[in-house]
Amino acid sequence: MRSILLCEDETVIREFIVIHLRRSGFNVIEAATAEEALELYAEHKDSVRLAILDLMLPGMDGFELCRRLREQDAVMGILMLTARSQEQEKVKALKLGADDYVTKPFSPSELIARVEALERRVKNTDDTGYREELVSGSFALNLLERTLYRNGTAVELTQVEFQIMEFFLRHTDQTLSRTDILSRVWGADYYGEDQIVDVNIRRLRMKIEDDPSNPRHIITVWGSGYRWNP
Ligand code: CA
């Protein structure tokens, strides 16, 4: 059974989401507060690979919940629920480790499509069943361990960051457009904003660049996209 952690304080919305997730074959672990979500997560750690978190919660908010979950699991897929007016919040959520967000109000089919796309990505990252390592300069991406090493030291990545790194290291001689990265990492049917690519690139740079404001490895190619430089 595929388990998903859902944290939403509004009962009507939560029940609405639960119905649609169950219909799609998910085992839903429901929480009305972030505190409750953390307790339930601790109990179900081994089976939960996905989470849907509302941003505005009583007590601890969705940002902090996202940060704490990401701290415990770098690979888990995290989807945030935000209001239409919360543009800055979306960026903040992505910076804190969320993989994607859905804006309220959303249709059930939109939510399920996003959850399933996220699930495929988590699965791809989990089930990389071949022993392979992509090496470039001082970086080595171990596809079996799903770990990036820089000069032999592991760099903690989210699964989205891992997939972006994999995409770069498989195409070291090419400039990759935002659209290329979006469709490779988020799927061709993704209908969110390109901004999500930039946010993840920024986050990746913070982790792998000596000076993230003067990146030497992930180079911006103005008007085209990004290029890997070993
Ligand atoms: Ca709420």
Side-chain angles (χ1 to χ4, degrees), residues 49-50 75 77 118-126 159:
R49 314 299 295 130
L50 295 166
V75 178
L118 197 54
E119 186 186 32
R120 280 195 297 277
R121 302 208 302 270
V122 173
K123 252 203 168 114
N124 285 341
T125 318
D126 274 355
Q159 45 98 7

Side-chain angles (χ1 to χ4, degrees), residues 35-212:
E35 290 80 358
E36 194 187 342
L38 286 171
E39 272 175 37
L40 289 170
Y41 176 70
E43 273 172 48
H44 299 273
K45 226 173 207 163
D46 296 338
S47 60
V48 174
R49 314 299 295 130
L50 295 166
I52 300 177
L53 314 177
D54 186 31
L55 202 51
M56 304 295 282
L57 296 165
M60 185 192 296
D61 66 12
F63 290 128
E64 182 59 17
L65 176 57
C66 170
R67 201 187 60 76
R68 293 201 190 186
L69 289 173
R70 179 56 77 211
E71 223 171 53
Q72 298 179 66
D73 187 341
V75 178
M76 156 188 236
I78 303 178
L79 184 80
M80 303 293 293
L81 302 178
T82 66
R84 196 163 292 283
S85 56
Q86 297 169 313
E87 195 56 42
Q88 278 316 106
E89 271 74 6
K90 291 171 192 170
V91 175
K92 187 174 170 191
L94 295 173
K95 281 184 180 161
L96 287 173
D99 295 296
D100 198 2
Y101 55 81
V102 170
T103 306
K104 288 178 179 176
F106 48 81
S107 70
S109 56
E110 183 189 2
L111 181 72
I112 298 298
R114 292 286 191 91
V115 169
E116 287 181 339
L118 197 54
E119 186 186 32
R120 280 195 297 277
R121 302 208 302 270
V122 173
K123 252 203 168 114
N124 285 341
T125 318
D126 274 355
D127 299 348
T128 311
Y130 45 99
R131 201 171 305 268
E132 199 180 326
E133 200 171 50
L134 301 172
V135 179
S136 177
S138 56
F139 294 91
L141 192 70
N142 187 310
L143 300 176
L144 191 70
E145 297 173 6
R146 307 189 309 271
T147 307
L148 175 70
Y149 292 95
R150 187 186 181 185
N151 296 320
T153 306
V155 180
E156 191 101 328
L157 299 183
T158 67
Q159 45 98 7
V160 163
E161 292 160 357
F162 177 89
Q163 293 211 64
I164 295 175
M165 273 304 292
E166 183 182 352
F167 194 36
F168 275 129
L169 294 186
R170 286 189 190 280
H171 302 87
T172 47
D173 53 347
Q174 290 171 32
T175 296
L176 305 174
S177 70
R178 286 176 181 75
T179 315
D180 292 336
I181 299 171
L182 259 187
S183 43
R184 169 63 176 78
V185 177
W186 280 267
D189 52 353
Y190 182 80
Y191 39 98
E193 294 112 6
D194 286 7
Q195 192 194 36
I196 196 169
V197 174
D198 301 327
V199 170
N200 276 281
I201 294 285
R202 266 205 298 279
R203 215 162 61 184
L204 199 47
R205 279 174 171 161
M206 300 289 284
K207 295 182 178 179
I208 67 165
E209 300 281 356
D210 292 327
D211 178 5

Side-chain angles (χ1 to χ4, degrees), residues 13-47:
I13 300 179
R14 192 174 65 245
E15 284 173 355
F16 167 82
I17 297 173
V18 168
I19 288 170
H20 289 283
L21 285 173
R22 287 208 177 123
R23 221 172 258 170
S24 304
F26 286 97
N27 171 39
V28 189
I29 296 161
E30 295 177 59
T33 64
E35 290 80 358
E36 194 187 342
L38 286 171
E39 272 175 37
L40 289 170
Y41 176 70
E43 273 172 48
H44 299 273
K45 226 173 207 163
D46 296 338
S47 60

